Amino acid sequence: MLDEKGWTFAANVSDVSARSFKAAYPKGVPIILFVRGDGAFALSNRCPHLGCPLSGGSMKGDTIVCPCHDWSFDIRTGELTMSKEVKLAKFESKIDDGKIFVKLED
Ligand code: FES
């Protein structure tokens, strides 16, 4: 599902836990989705260290911890908590009518 402004359907809000995350593959792109409050956040599901899928990791507050070597990332910014210069790719996202949409390209 893609509208004329480039938004791609990623998941239903009801499928994403308010304390956890959901892996999704809009247009085949591996992402992880978070819903906090009224907003959604979408990050790459590939760790920038050695590429492990973060969806195998765990949550610690508002960070997700990579299952391979324990790097942790802020879910709101994608920044590595110990060095903000390292970032997960972050995708613009929005919630509309109970659905999460992402922009995969600029
Ligand atoms: S692959 Fe994620 S911390 Fe090493």
Side-chain angles (χ1 to χ4, degrees):
M1 191 184 315
L2 177 70
D3 75 12
E4 71 280 356
K5 294 190 174 148
W7 292 101
T8 302
F9 172 76
N12 293 310
V13 172
S14 59
D15 292 336
V16 184
S17 162
R19 290 195 178 91
S20 188
F21 57 85
K22 176 176 178 54
Y25 302 88
K27 292 169 77 177
V29 177
I31 65 171
I32 40 178
L33 297 166
F34 307 87
V35 173
R36 298 293 186 273
D38 292 338
F41 303 91
L43 299 173
S44 170
N45 193 12
R46 294 282 174 258
C47 181
H49 181 215
L50 294 176
C52 285
L54 289 161
S55 55
S58 57
M59 296 297 302
K60 238 188 215 172
D62 277 349
T63 65
I64 185 163
V65 182
C66 181
C68 292
H69 311 100
D70 294 332
W71 285 18
S72 63
F73 300 88
D74 186 314
I75 65 167
R76 296 171 190 273
T77 63
E79 294 171 345
L80 182 66
T81 56
M82 63 184 176
S83 171
K84 296 187 185 316
E85 289 154 21
V86 178
K87 287 185 183 180
L88 284 168
K90 183 179 179 206
F91 302 96
E92 191 177 352
S93 57
K94 70 173 183 177
I95 294 175
D96 187 8
D97 196 24
K99 296 176 173 59
I100 302 169
F101 294 86
V102 296
K103 270 196 179 168
L104 299 170
E105 301 129 349
D106 289 336

